[in-house]
Amino acid sequence: MNRKLAMVAFGGNALLRAGQKGTYEEQLENVQRTCGQLRHLIERGYDLVIGHGNGPQVGNVMLQHEAGRKEFGLPAMPMDFCGAETQGSIAYMIETGLEKVLLEAGIDRCVVSVVTRVEVAADDPM
């Protein structure tokens, strides 16, 4: 059987909407709503590859690490670690949302996440 593939980018509103604080509950609800919108693609036989951003989440996690350092003497983790941490947590929410959609639709499919790494050149001025 020839499978179809769709690349989907989760934009800002897929994770965090204007006026929200970015709580776990808010983000999970937003992700589940977005995953529900993908149901028609899944029902039409598409395999999905979902990409997502994590800028605001990385910033929030870095602030949490810094607060933990100041308040409790816990070591703050570097940005690349915080990036991986938020990639994993967002992937967890997407998996949860997609699995719920698949279960509701009676579709037996696996959901898999991949955490990536990005290396920035040491001489990059940014």
Side-chain angles (χ1 to χ4, degrees), residues 28 33 47 62 70 83 88-90 92 98-99 126:
L28 184 59
R33 183 179 303 118
D47 288 326
M62 291 184 75
K70 287 180 180 176
S89 62
I90 292 168
Y92 171 81
L98 275 177
E99 287 173 349
M126 300 306 286

Side-chain angles (χ1 to χ4, degrees), residues 1-81:
M1 173 161 124
N2 225 356
R3 304 281 313 185
K4 298 176 272 186
L5 180 66
M7 178 70 181
V8 178
F10 271 38
N13 284 338
L15 300 168
L16 187 60
R17 296 183 184 275
Q20 292 182 332
K21 293 182 185 251
T23 66
Y24 170 77
E25 294 80 12
E26 288 172 341
Q27 291 182 81
L28 184 59
E29 183 179 327
N30 294 337
V31 166
Q32 287 179 338
R33 183 179 303 118
T34 302
C35 287
Q37 299 298 315
L38 300 176
R39 180 175 173 166
H40 72 282
L41 289 172
I42 296 166
E43 289 175 335
R44 291 174 45 202
Y46 279 88
D47 288 326
L48 302 180
V49 175
I50 299 173
H52 63 79
N54 63 341
Q57 290 80 10
V58 172
N60 288 345
V61 165
M62 291 184 75
L63 289 172
Q64 290 168 352
H65 282 264
E66 183 61 21
R69 186 190 64 75
K70 287 180 180 176
E71 187 67 25
F72 301 106
L74 300 171
M77 298 296 163
M79 183 183 287
D80 63 328
F81 181 89

Side-chain angles (χ1 to χ4, degrees), residues 90-102:
I90 292 168
Y92 171 81
M93 287 188 279
I94 292 171
E95 282 188 22
T96 301
L98 275 177
E99 287 173 349
K100 182 178 180 185
V101 167
L102 293 169

